[in-house]
Amino acid sequence: MKNIILGLILYLSAGASVAEQAPPVELTPPLPKEAYASCAALDGALFVDGIPPEVGLTLHSRPRMNAIVTAVLPSSATGVVKGKCKRRLHNLWCQVTWGCLQGYARTVFLREGDRSDPLQLGQVSGVPVDRFLMLYSAPDESATQAVAISPTARVSVVGCVASAGDQEWCAVVWGDKTGWTRKQYLQF
């Protein structure tokens, strides 16, 4: 636990901001081997998705980003067990357990189903740095604008579809924001 908190303090003191991704830190607490026998089995239906391999999914003591980080799940974690869930602002947070690690995680980075079909990581491109990329509520420019995101953002691509006018649209996740954007603005 001290390693996780120390790593986060060093990360923030270097001028970084806390997003969903935490710095690489030791992912397992230094416990004797016999202590792990009492940990929960890795038999949950969820897996971590949409997090780059070099970082992990932060678990928090409460369902909010400014709560204490209790653990960091690796981006490849499978068998995550979901408990009670709470909505906080526009985020759905659930209590999760992965072995001996427990805490609240945002569900946008947890998926159920086949790990062989993970979200793709993409990079926004082709948007001037003084502009924003609009995410829409549906794959159509006449749909409601959901949110504007950074022209340099890294996003998780859920999937893409063709729409009227032979334009391809992709559903993306950026932090706790979701929406549709034209595929021409993404590299993945």
Side-chain angles (χ1 to χ4, degrees):
M1 180 66 157
K2 288 180 183 177
N3 290 342
I4 293 171
I5 293 171
L6 180 60
L8 188 58
I9 290 169
L10 292 173
Y11 181 71
L12 293 174
S13 66
S17 63
V18 174
E20 182 54 31
Q21 296 131 1
V25 294
E26 187 177 332
L27 297 176
T28 55
L31 298 174
K33 287 184 179 181
E34 52 276 358
Y36 291 102
S38 63
C39 294
L42 302 177
D43 60 358
L46 302 176
F47 63 91
V48 174
D49 199 16
I51 300 281
E54 65 274 8
V55 295
L57 175 64
T58 55
L59 301 185
H60 299 264
S61 60
R62 295 174 41 192
R64 55 179 54 186
M65 286 302 297
N66 62 353
I68 295 169
V69 174
T70 60
V72 180
L73 296 188
S75 61
S76 60
T78 60
V80 179
V81 178
K82 180 173 77 170
K84 293 181 181 179
C85 297
K86 296 181 179 182
R87 182 161 298 279
R88 174 138 175 90
L89 300 175
H90 301 291
N91 298 312
L92 183 60
W93 292 78
C94 291
Q95 289 177 320
V96 297
T97 303
W98 189 69
C100 287
L101 305 179
Q102 297 181 352
Y104 281 92
R106 291 186 353 201
T107 59
V108 70
F109 296 109
L110 295 169
R111 287 190 54 203
E112 193 170 349
D114 187 4
R115 178 92 179 151
S116 65
D117 185 26
L119 296 177
Q120 294 182 9
L121 295 177
Q123 176 75 43
V124 173
S125 70
V127 178
V129 293
D130 61 341
R131 305 284 171 130
F132 292 97
L133 177 64
M134 293 306 303
L135 297 185
Y136 294 86
S137 60
D140 185 347
E141 286 183 346
S142 63
T144 305
Q145 292 181 348
V147 67
I149 67 171
S150 166
T152 59
R154 292 182 74 186
V155 297
S156 297
V157 181
V158 178
C160 299
V161 297
S163 68
D166 291 330
Q167 292 183 355
E168 279 194 87
W169 287 78
C170 297
V172 299
V173 177
W174 182 65
D176 61 346
K177 312 292 186 213
T178 59
W180 292 85
T181 190
R182 293 196 355 230
K183 186 176 180 179
Q184 73 184 54
Y185 297 118
L186 301 172
Q187 285 183 347
F188 59 95

PDB file of all heavy atoms in Angstrom, residues 65-102:
ATOM      1  N   MET A  65     -12.867  10.074  -8.002  1.00  0.00           N
ATOM      2  CA  MET A  65     -11.476  10.131  -8.452  1.00  0.00           C
ATOM      3  C   MET A  65     -10.527  10.688  -7.397  1.00  0.00           C
ATOM      4  O   MET A  65      -9.360  10.336  -7.363  1.00  0.00           O
ATOM      5  CB  MET A  65     -11.353  10.979  -9.727  1.00  0.00           C
ATOM      6  CG  MET A  65     -11.880  10.287 -10.970  1.00  0.00           C
ATOM      7  SD  MET A  65     -11.086   8.725 -11.345  1.00  0.00           S
ATOM      8  CE  MET A  65      -9.410   9.259 -11.651  1.00  0.00           C
ATOM      9  N   ASN A  66     -11.022  11.573  -6.516  1.00  0.00           N
ATOM     10  CA  ASN A  66     -10.122  12.160  -5.526  1.00  0.00           C
ATOM     11  C   ASN A  66     -10.037  11.340  -4.241  1.00  0.00           C
ATOM     12  O   ASN A  66      -9.433  11.770  -3.274  1.00  0.00           O
ATOM     13  CB  ASN A  66     -10.521  13.607  -5.223  1.00  0.00           C
ATOM     14  CG  ASN A  66     -11.915  13.727  -4.631  1.00  0.00           C
ATOM     15  OD1 ASN A  66     -12.650  12.751  -4.552  1.00  0.00           O
ATOM     16  ND2 ASN A  66     -12.276  14.926  -4.229  1.00  0.00           N
ATOM     17  N   ALA A  67     -10.624  10.157  -4.232  1.00  0.00           N
ATOM     18  CA  ALA A  67     -10.519   9.264  -3.073  1.00  0.00           C
ATOM     19  C   ALA A  67      -9.155   8.578  -3.077  1.00  0.00           C
ATOM     20  O   ALA A  67      -8.461   8.539  -4.098  1.00  0.00           O
ATOM     21  CB  ALA A  67     -11.631   8.224  -3.096  1.00  0.00           C
ATOM     22  N   ILE A  68      -8.785   8.036  -1.945  1.00  0.00           N
ATOM     23  CA  ILE A  68      -7.504   7.347  -1.798  1.00  0.00           C
ATOM     24  C   ILE A  68      -7.430   6.162  -2.762  1.00  0.00           C
ATOM     25  O   ILE A  68      -8.374   5.396  -2.892  1.00  0.00           O
ATOM     26  CB  ILE A  68      -7.329   6.853  -0.345  1.00  0.00           C
ATOM     27  CG1 ILE A  68      -7.245   8.054   0.592  1.00  0.00           C
ATOM     28  CG2 ILE A  68      -6.097   5.974  -0.204  1.00  0.00           C
ATOM     29  CD1 ILE A  68      -7.328   7.678   2.063  1.00  0.00           C
ATOM     30  N   VAL A  69      -6.288   6.037  -3.431  1.00  0.00           N
ATOM     31  CA  VAL A  69      -6.057   4.888  -4.320  1.00  0.00           C
ATOM     32  C   VAL A  69      -5.690   3.701  -3.438  1.00  0.00           C
ATOM     33  O   VAL A  69      -4.720   3.757  -2.691  1.00  0.00           O
ATOM     34  CB  VAL A  69      -4.940   5.190  -5.337  1.00  0.00           C
ATOM     35  CG1 VAL A  69      -4.599   3.945  -6.149  1.00  0.00           C
ATOM     36  CG2 VAL A  69      -5.348   6.331  -6.241  1.00  0.00           C
ATOM     37  N   THR A  70      -6.488   2.638  -3.508  1.00  0.00           N
ATOM     38  CA  THR A  70      -6.247   1.461  -2.676  1.00  0.00           C
ATOM     39  C   THR A  70      -5.423   0.398  -3.389  1.00  0.00           C
ATOM     40  O   THR A  70      -4.780  -0.416  -2.737  1.00  0.00           O
ATOM     41  CB  THR A  70      -7.579   0.830  -2.219  1.00  0.00           C
ATOM     42  OG1 THR A  70      -8.321   0.441  -3.378  1.00  0.00           O
ATOM     43  CG2 THR A  70      -8.396   1.806  -1.390  1.00  0.00           C
ATOM     44  N   ALA A  71      -5.478   0.385  -4.715  1.00  0.00           N
ATOM     45  CA  ALA A  71      -4.739  -0.619  -5.484  1.00  0.00           C
ATOM     46  C   ALA A  71      -4.745  -0.213  -6.946  1.00  0.00           C
ATOM     47  O   ALA A  71      -5.484   0.686  -7.350  1.00  0.00           O
ATOM     48  CB  ALA A  71      -5.381  -1.996  -5.325  1.00  0.00           C
ATOM     49  N   VAL A  72      -3.930  -0.897  -7.732  1.00  0.00           N
ATOM     50  CA  VAL A  72      -3.882  -0.690  -9.175  1.00  0.00           C
ATOM     51  C   VAL A  72      -3.967  -2.056  -9.839  1.00  0.00           C
ATOM     52  O   VAL A  72      -3.137  -2.927  -9.578  1.00  0.00           O
ATOM     53  CB  VAL A  72      -2.590   0.029  -9.606  1.00  0.00           C
ATOM     54  CG1 VAL A  72      -2.564   0.225 -11.116  1.00  0.00           C
ATOM     55  CG2 VAL A  72      -2.448   1.363  -8.896  1.00  0.00           C
ATOM     56  N   LEU A  73      -4.985  -2.241 -10.674  1.00  0.00           N
ATOM     57  CA  LEU A  73      -5.118  -3.503 -11.410  1.00  0.00           C
ATOM     58  C   LEU A  73      -4.316  -3.406 -12.699  1.00  0.00           C
ATOM     59  O   LEU A  73      -4.335  -2.371 -13.363  1.00  0.00           O
ATOM     60  CB  LEU A  73      -6.579  -3.780 -11.779  1.00  0.00           C
ATOM     61  CG  LEU A  73      -7.577  -3.998 -10.659  1.00  0.00           C
ATOM     62  CD1 LEU A  73      -8.916  -4.442 -11.241  1.00  0.00           C
ATOM     63  CD2 LEU A  73      -7.090  -5.003  -9.656  1.00  0.00           C
ATOM     64  N   PRO A  74      -3.624  -4.468 -13.078  1.00  0.00           N
ATOM     65  CA  PRO A  74      -2.914  -4.433 -14.358  1.00  0.00           C
ATOM     66  C   PRO A  74      -3.912  -4.343 -15.512  1.00  0.00           C
ATOM     67  O   PRO A  74      -5.060  -4.782 -15.390  1.00  0.00           O
ATOM     68  CB  PRO A  74      -2.145  -5.751 -14.382  1.00  0.00           C
ATOM     69  CG  PRO A  74      -2.796  -6.625 -13.379  1.00  0.00           C
ATOM     70  CD  PRO A  74      -3.455  -5.736 -12.375  1.00  0.00           C
ATOM     71  N   SER A  75      -3.478  -3.784 -16.623  1.00  0.00           N
ATOM     72  CA  SER A  75      -4.371  -3.624 -17.776  1.00  0.00           C
ATOM     73  C   SER A  75      -4.804  -4.973 -18.347  1.00  0.00           C
ATOM     74  O   SER A  75      -5.765  -5.040 -19.101  1.00  0.00           O
ATOM     75  CB  SER A  75      -3.683  -2.797 -18.858  1.00  0.00           C
ATOM     76  OG  SER A  75      -2.519  -3.450 -19.290  1.00  0.00           O
ATOM     77  N   SER A  76      -4.124  -6.042 -17.977  1.00  0.00           N
ATOM     78  CA  SER A  76      -4.459  -7.384 -18.471  1.00  0.00           C
ATOM     79  C   SER A  76      -5.291  -8.198 -17.472  1.00  0.00           C
ATOM     80  O   SER A  76      -5.507  -9.391 -17.685  1.00  0.00           O
ATOM     81  CB  SER A  76      -3.166  -8.141 -18.779  1.00  0.00           C
ATOM     82  OG  SER A  76      -2.392  -8.248 -17.589  1.00  0.00           O
ATOM     83  N   ALA A  77      -5.767  -7.573 -16.400  1.00  0.00           N
ATOM     84  CA  ALA A  77      -6.496  -8.314 -15.359  1.00  0.00           C
ATOM     85  C   ALA A  77      -7.787  -8.932 -15.892  1.00  0.00           C
ATOM     86  O   ALA A  77      -8.570  -8.277 -16.566  1.00  0.00           O
ATOM     87  CB  ALA A  77      -6.808  -7.392 -14.179  1.00  0.00           C
ATOM     88  N   THR A  78      -7.984 -10.208 -15.591  1.00  0.00           N
ATOM     89  CA  THR A  78      -9.225 -10.918 -15.925  1.00  0.00           C
ATOM     90  C   THR A  78      -9.762 -11.529 -14.640  1.00  0.00           C
ATOM     91  O   THR A  78      -9.051 -11.618 -13.642  1.00  0.00           O
ATOM     92  CB  THR A  78      -8.979 -12.028 -16.964  1.00  0.00           C
ATOM     93  OG1 THR A  78      -8.050 -12.958 -16.420  1.00  0.00           O
ATOM     94  CG2 THR A  78      -8.445 -11.467 -18.272  1.00  0.00           C
ATOM     95  N   GLY A  79     -11.001 -11.965 -14.661  1.00  0.00           N
ATOM     96  CA  GLY A  79     -11.586 -12.599 -13.485  1.00  0.00           C
ATOM     97  C   GLY A  79     -11.951 -11.611 -12.388  1.00  0.00           C
ATOM     98  O   GLY A  79     -12.040 -11.967 -11.219  1.00  0.00           O
ATOM     99  N   VAL A  80     -12.175 -10.347 -12.753  1.00  0.00           N
ATOM    100  CA  VAL A  80     -12.525  -9.307 -11.776  1.00  0.00           C
ATOM    101  C   VAL A  80     -13.963  -9.530 -11.310  1.00  0.00           C
ATOM    102  O   VAL A  80     -14.877  -9.730 -12.111  1.00  0.00           O
ATOM    103  CB  VAL A  80     -12.360  -7.901 -12.390  1.00  0.00           C
ATOM    104  CG1 VAL A  80     -12.748  -6.821 -11.399  1.00  0.00           C
ATOM    105  CG2 VAL A  80     -10.937  -7.700 -12.891  1.00  0.00           C
ATOM    106  N   VAL A  81     -14.153  -9.493  -9.987  1.00  0.00           N
ATOM    107  CA  VAL A  81     -15.473  -9.714  -9.384  1.00  0.00           C
ATOM    108  C   VAL A  81     -16.104  -8.359  -9.090  1.00  0.00           C
ATOM    109  O   VAL A  81     -15.487  -7.490  -8.483  1.00  0.00           O
ATOM    110  CB  VAL A  81     -15.348 -10.532  -8.075  1.00  0.00           C
ATOM    111  CG1 VAL A  81     -16.704 -10.719  -7.414  1.00  0.00           C
ATOM    112  CG2 VAL A  81     -14.698 -11.882  -8.362  1.00  0.00           C
ATOM    113  N   LYS A  82     -17.364  -8.175  -9.531  1.00  0.00           N
ATOM    114  CA  LYS A  82     -18.079  -6.915  -9.333  1.00  0.00           C
ATOM    115  C   LYS A  82     -19.030  -7.026  -8.157  1.00  0.00           C
ATOM    116  O   LYS A  82     -19.749  -8.007  -8.013  1.00  0.00           O
ATOM    117  CB  LYS A  82     -18.851  -6.554 -10.594  1.00  0.00           C
ATOM    118  CG  LYS A  82     -19.628  -5.237 -10.487  1.00  0.00           C
ATOM    119  CD  LYS A  82     -20.237  -4.818 -11.807  1.00  0.00           C
ATOM    120  CE  LYS A  82     -21.476  -5.624 -12.091  1.00  0.00           C
ATOM    121  NZ  LYS A  82     -22.240  -5.117 -13.238  1.00  0.00           N
ATOM    122  N   GLY A  83     -19.039  -5.994  -7.313  1.00  0.00           N
ATOM    123  CA  GLY A  83     -19.965  -5.908  -6.181  1.00  0.00           C
ATOM    124  C   GLY A  83     -21.020  -4.848  -6.444  1.00  0.00           C
ATOM    125  O   GLY A  83     -21.439  -4.622  -7.575  1.00  0.00           O
ATOM    126  N   LYS A  84     -21.406  -4.136  -5.379  1.00  0.00           N
ATOM    127  CA  LYS A  84     -22.427  -3.090  -5.491  1.00  0.00           C
ATOM    128  C   LYS A  84     -21.907  -1.917  -6.302  1.00  0.00           C
ATOM    129  O   LYS A  84     -20.727  -1.587  -6.260  1.00  0.00           O
ATOM    130  CB  LYS A  84     -22.830  -2.598  -4.108  1.00  0.00           C
ATOM    131  CG  LYS A  84     -23.551  -3.640  -3.287  1.00  0.00           C
ATOM    132  CD  LYS A  84     -23.943  -3.077  -1.943  1.00  0.00           C
ATOM    133  CE  LYS A  84     -24.647  -4.147  -1.115  1.00  0.00           C
ATOM    134  NZ  LYS A  84     -25.014  -3.633   0.213  1.00  0.00           N
ATOM    135  N   CYS A  85     -22.815  -1.271  -7.022  1.00  0.00           N
ATOM    136  CA  CYS A  85     -22.448  -0.145  -7.870  1.00  0.00           C
ATOM    137  C   CYS A  85     -23.170   1.124  -7.411  1.00  0.00           C
ATOM    138  O   CYS A  85     -24.258   1.058  -6.845  1.00  0.00           O
ATOM    139  CB  CYS A  85     -22.800  -0.426  -9.326  1.00  0.00           C
ATOM    140  SG  CYS A  85     -21.899  -1.828 -10.018  1.00  0.00           S
ATOM    141  N   LYS A  86     -22.532   2.280  -7.668  1.00  0.00           N
ATOM    142  CA  LYS A  86     -23.088   3.588  -7.325  1.00  0.00           C
ATOM    143  C   LYS A  86     -22.827   4.543  -8.478  1.00  0.00           C
ATOM    144  O   LYS A  86     -21.772   4.505  -9.090  1.00  0.00           O
ATOM    145  CB  LYS A  86     -22.412   4.165  -6.070  1.00  0.00           C
ATOM    146  CG  LYS A  86     -22.639   3.378  -4.819  1.00  0.00           C
ATOM    147  CD  LYS A  86     -21.947   4.046  -3.648  1.00  0.00           C
ATOM    148  CE  LYS A  86     -22.188   3.267  -2.378  1.00  0.00           C
ATOM    149  NZ  LYS A  86     -21.573   3.917  -1.216  1.00  0.00           N
ATOM    150  N   ARG A  87     -23.811   5.388  -8.743  1.00  0.00           N
ATOM    151  CA  ARG A  87     -23.623   6.429  -9.756  1.00  0.00           C
ATOM    152  C   ARG A  87     -23.163   7.695  -9.048  1.00  0.00           C
ATOM    153  O   ARG A  87     -23.737   8.124  -8.074  1.00  0.00           O
ATOM    154  CB  ARG A  87     -24.912   6.692 -10.520  1.00  0.00           C
ATOM    155  CG  ARG A  87     -24.720   7.735 -11.603  1.00  0.00           C
ATOM    156  CD  ARG A  87     -25.787   7.700 -12.659  1.00  0.00           C
ATOM    157  NE  ARG A  87     -25.862   6.474 -13.406  1.00  0.00           N
ATOM    158  CZ  ARG A  87     -25.073   6.148 -14.431  1.00  0.00           C
ATOM    159  NH1 ARG A  87     -24.107   6.954 -14.790  1.00  0.00           N
ATOM    160  NH2 ARG A  87     -25.228   5.026 -15.073  1.00  0.00           N
ATOM    161  N   ARG A  88     -22.089   8.266  -9.555  1.00  0.00           N
ATOM    162  CA  ARG A  88     -21.573   9.529  -9.021  1.00  0.00           C
ATOM    163  C   ARG A  88     -21.389  10.461 -10.203  1.00  0.00           C
ATOM    164  O   ARG A  88     -20.574  10.211 -11.075  1.00  0.00           O
ATOM    165  CB  ARG A  88     -20.254   9.300  -8.314  1.00  0.00           C
ATOM    166  CG  ARG A  88     -19.609  10.571  -7.868  1.00  0.00           C
ATOM    167  CD  ARG A  88     -19.034  10.436  -6.480  1.00  0.00           C
ATOM    168  NE  ARG A  88     -18.320  11.635  -6.133  1.00  0.00           N
ATOM    169  CZ  ARG A  88     -18.884  12.676  -5.531  1.00  0.00           C
ATOM    170  NH1 ARG A  88     -20.148  12.643  -5.218  1.00  0.00           N
ATOM    171  NH2 ARG A  88     -18.178  13.736  -5.243  1.00  0.00           N
ATOM    172  N   LEU A  89     -22.168  11.536 -10.221  1.00  0.00           N
ATOM    173  CA  LEU A  89     -22.226  12.445 -11.361  1.00  0.00           C
ATOM    174  C   LEU A  89     -22.521  11.622 -12.616  1.00  0.00           C
ATOM    175  O   LEU A  89     -23.532  10.965 -12.684  1.00  0.00           O
ATOM    176  CB  LEU A  89     -20.930  13.258 -11.461  1.00  0.00           C
ATOM    177  CG  LEU A  89     -20.605  14.122 -10.238  1.00  0.00           C
ATOM    178  CD1 LEU A  89     -19.246  14.771 -10.390  1.00  0.00           C
ATOM    179  CD2 LEU A  89     -21.668  15.176 -10.018  1.00  0.00           C
ATOM    180  N   HIS A  90     -21.639  11.632 -13.604  1.00  0.00           N
ATOM    181  CA  HIS A  90     -21.898  10.888 -14.842  1.00  0.00           C
ATOM    182  C   HIS A  90     -21.151   9.564 -14.883  1.00  0.00           C
ATOM    183  O   HIS A  90     -21.087   8.928 -15.922  1.00  0.00           O
ATOM    184  CB  HIS A  90     -21.504  11.743 -16.050  1.00  0.00           C
ATOM    185  CG  HIS A  90     -22.250  13.025 -16.123  1.00  0.00           C
ATOM    186  ND1 HIS A  90     -23.587  13.077 -16.407  1.00  0.00           N
ATOM    187  CD2 HIS A  90     -21.865  14.298 -15.901  1.00  0.00           C
ATOM    188  CE1 HIS A  90     -23.996  14.329 -16.380  1.00  0.00           C
ATOM    189  NE2 HIS A  90     -22.961  15.096 -16.075  1.00  0.00           N
ATOM    190  N   ASN A  91     -20.577   9.154 -13.766  1.00  0.00           N
ATOM    191  CA  ASN A  91     -19.782   7.923 -13.731  1.00  0.00           C
ATOM    192  C   ASN A  91     -20.510   6.839 -12.952  1.00  0.00           C
ATOM    193  O   ASN A  91     -21.111   7.115 -11.928  1.00  0.00           O
ATOM    194  CB  ASN A  91     -18.435   8.166 -13.044  1.00  0.00           C
ATOM    195  CG  ASN A  91     -17.594   9.180 -13.763  1.00  0.00           C
ATOM    196  OD1 ASN A  91     -17.440   9.105 -14.964  1.00  0.00           O
ATOM    197  ND2 ASN A  91     -17.060  10.136 -13.035  1.00  0.00           N
ATOM    198  N   LEU A  92     -20.404   5.620 -13.432  1.00  0.00           N
ATOM    199  CA  LEU A  92     -20.893   4.471 -12.680  1.00  0.00           C
ATOM    200  C   LEU A  92     -19.675   3.791 -12.069  1.00  0.00           C
ATOM    201  O   LEU A  92     -18.755   3.392 -12.783  1.00  0.00           O
ATOM    202  CB  LEU A  92     -21.652   3.498 -13.577  1.00  0.00           C
ATOM    203  CG  LEU A  92     -22.254   2.292 -12.863  1.00  0.00           C
ATOM    204  CD1 LEU A  92     -23.264   2.724 -11.797  1.00  0.00           C
ATOM    205  CD2 LEU A  92     -22.911   1.355 -13.857  1.00  0.00           C
ATOM    206  N   TRP A  93     -19.658   3.707 -10.758  1.00  0.00           N
ATOM    207  CA  TRP A  93     -18.562   3.094 -10.010  1.00  0.00           C
ATOM    208  C   TRP A  93     -19.064   1.800  -9.394  1.00  0.00           C
ATOM    209  O   TRP A  93     -20.188   1.745  -8.900  1.00  0.00           O
ATOM    210  CB  TRP A  93     -18.110   4.014  -8.882  1.00  0.00           C
ATOM    211  CG  TRP A  93     -17.450   5.275  -9.314  1.00  0.00           C
ATOM    212  CD1 TRP A  93     -18.058   6.406  -9.782  1.00  0.00           C
ATOM    213  CD2 TRP A  93     -16.059   5.556  -9.294  1.00  0.00           C
ATOM    214  NE1 TRP A  93     -17.122   7.362 -10.049  1.00  0.00           N
ATOM    215  CE2 TRP A  93     -15.887   6.868  -9.747  1.00  0.00           C
ATOM    216  CE3 TRP A  93     -14.940   4.814  -8.921  1.00  0.00           C
ATOM    217  CZ2 TRP A  93     -14.639   7.468  -9.856  1.00  0.00           C
ATOM    218  CZ3 TRP A  93     -13.695   5.413  -9.014  1.00  0.00           C
ATOM    219  CH2 TRP A  93     -13.556   6.725  -9.487  1.00  0.00           C
ATOM    220  N   CYS A  94     -18.248   0.775  -9.395  1.00  0.00           N
ATOM    221  CA  CYS A  94     -18.593  -0.490  -8.754  1.00  0.00           C
ATOM    222  C   CYS A  94     -17.454  -0.922  -7.838  1.00  0.00           C
ATOM    223  O   CYS A  94     -16.279  -0.691  -8.130  1.00  0.00           O
ATOM    224  CB  CYS A  94     -18.837  -1.588  -9.793  1.00  0.00           C
ATOM    225  SG  CYS A  94     -20.317  -1.324 -10.763  1.00  0.00           S
ATOM    226  N   GLN A  95     -17.850  -1.570  -6.738  1.00  0.00           N
ATOM    227  CA  GLN A  95     -16.846  -2.203  -5.885  1.00  0.00           C
ATOM    228  C   GLN A  95     -16.345  -3.414  -6.649  1.00  0.00           C
ATOM    229  O   GLN A  95     -17.140  -4.189  -7.186  1.00  0.00           O
ATOM    230  CB  GLN A  95     -17.457  -2.657  -4.570  1.00  0.00           C
ATOM    231  CG  GLN A  95     -17.827  -1.533  -3.649  1.00  0.00           C
ATOM    232  CD  GLN A  95     -18.489  -2.052  -2.383  1.00  0.00           C
ATOM    233  OE1 GLN A  95     -19.293  -2.971  -2.431  1.00  0.00           O
ATOM    234  NE2 GLN A  95     -18.146  -1.456  -1.263  1.00  0.00           N
ATOM    235  N   VAL A  96     -15.043  -3.573  -6.720  1.00  0.00           N
ATOM    236  CA  VAL A  96     -14.475  -4.721  -7.416  1.00  0.00           C
ATOM    237  C   VAL A  96     -13.437  -5.394  -6.537  1.00  0.00           C
ATOM    238  O   VAL A  96     -12.824  -4.769  -5.666  1.00  0.00           O
ATOM    239  CB  VAL A  96     -13.857  -4.341  -8.783  1.00  0.00           C
ATOM    240  CG1 VAL A  96     -14.907  -3.804  -9.732  1.00  0.00           C
ATOM    241  CG2 VAL A  96     -12.725  -3.362  -8.632  1.00  0.00           C
ATOM    242  N   THR A  97     -13.260  -6.675  -6.796  1.00  0.00           N
ATOM    243  CA  THR A  97     -12.256  -7.473  -6.111  1.00  0.00           C
ATOM    244  C   THR A  97     -11.491  -8.248  -7.164  1.00  0.00           C
ATOM    245  O   THR A  97     -12.090  -8.826  -8.076  1.00  0.00           O
ATOM    246  CB  THR A  97     -12.914  -8.453  -5.117  1.00  0.00           C
ATOM    247  OG1 THR A  97     -13.711  -7.708  -4.207  1.00  0.00           O
ATOM    248  CG2 THR A  97     -11.871  -9.258  -4.364  1.00  0.00           C
ATOM    249  N   TRP A  98     -10.187  -8.255  -7.026  1.00  0.00           N
ATOM    250  CA  TRP A  98      -9.324  -9.056  -7.889  1.00  0.00           C
ATOM    251  C   TRP A  98      -8.256  -9.648  -6.995  1.00  0.00           C
ATOM    252  O   TRP A  98      -7.313  -8.971  -6.610  1.00  0.00           O
ATOM    253  CB  TRP A  98      -8.712  -8.185  -8.986  1.00  0.00           C
ATOM    254  CG  TRP A  98      -7.989  -8.961 -10.051  1.00  0.00           C
ATOM    255  CD1 TRP A  98      -8.533  -9.782 -10.994  1.00  0.00           C
ATOM    256  CD2 TRP A  98      -6.578  -8.961 -10.287  1.00  0.00           C
ATOM    257  NE1 TRP A  98      -7.554 -10.296 -11.801  1.00  0.00           N
ATOM    258  CE2 TRP A  98      -6.340  -9.810 -11.388  1.00  0.00           C
ATOM    259  CE3 TRP A  98      -5.502  -8.340  -9.680  1.00  0.00           C
ATOM    260  CZ2 TRP A  98      -5.072 -10.051 -11.889  1.00  0.00           C
ATOM    261  CZ3 TRP A  98      -4.228  -8.580 -10.182  1.00  0.00           C
ATOM    262  CH2 TRP A  98      -4.023  -9.422 -11.285  1.00  0.00           C
ATOM    263  N   GLY A  99      -8.446 -10.886  -6.612  1.00  0.00           N
ATOM    264  CA  GLY A  99      -7.540 -11.512  -5.653  1.00  0.00           C
ATOM    265  C   GLY A  99      -7.639 -10.790  -4.323  1.00  0.00           C
ATOM    266  O   GLY A  99      -8.722 -10.678  -3.754  1.00  0.00           O
ATOM    267  N   CYS A 100      -6.532 -10.270  -3.839  1.00  0.00           N
ATOM    268  CA  CYS A 100      -6.509  -9.525  -2.572  1.00  0.00           C
ATOM    269  C   CYS A 100      -6.733  -8.027  -2.766  1.00  0.00           C
ATOM    270  O   CYS A 100      -6.734  -7.280  -1.797  1.00  0.00           O
ATOM    271  CB  CYS A 100      -5.177  -9.738  -1.862  1.00  0.00           C
ATOM    272  SG  CYS A 100      -5.001 -11.380  -1.150  1.00  0.00           S
ATOM    273  N   LEU A 101      -6.863  -7.578  -3.986  1.00  0.00           N
ATOM    274  CA  LEU A 101      -7.029  -6.152  -4.258  1.00  0.00           C
ATOM    275  C   LEU A 101      -8.506  -5.796  -4.320  1.00  0.00           C
ATOM    276  O   LEU A 101      -9.280  -6.462  -5.015  1.00  0.00           O
ATOM    277  CB  LEU A 101      -6.329  -5.784  -5.569  1.00  0.00           C
ATOM    278  CG  LEU A 101      -4.851  -6.163  -5.666  1.00  0.00           C
ATOM    279  CD1 LEU A 101      -4.296  -5.770  -7.025  1.00  0.00           C
ATOM    280  CD2 LEU A 101      -4.049  -5.523  -4.555  1.00  0.00           C
ATOM    281  N   GLN A 102      -8.887  -4.720  -3.614  1.00  0.00           N
ATOM    282  CA  GLN A 102     -10.282  -4.296  -3.573  1.00  0.00           C
ATOM    283  C   GLN A 102     -10.381  -2.792  -3.657  1.00  0.00           C
ATOM    284  O   GLN A 102      -9.473  -2.076  -3.240  1.00  0.00           O
ATOM    285  CB  GLN A 102     -10.952  -4.750  -2.277  1.00  0.00           C
ATOM    286  CG  GLN A 102     -11.034  -6.235  -2.107  1.00  0.00           C
ATOM    287  CD  GLN A 102     -11.735  -6.597  -0.810  1.00  0.00           C
ATOM    288  OE1 GLN A 102     -12.022  -5.756   0.026  1.00  0.00           O
ATOM    289  NE2 GLN A 102     -12.013  -7.871  -0.646  1.00  0.00           N
TER     290      GLN A 102
END
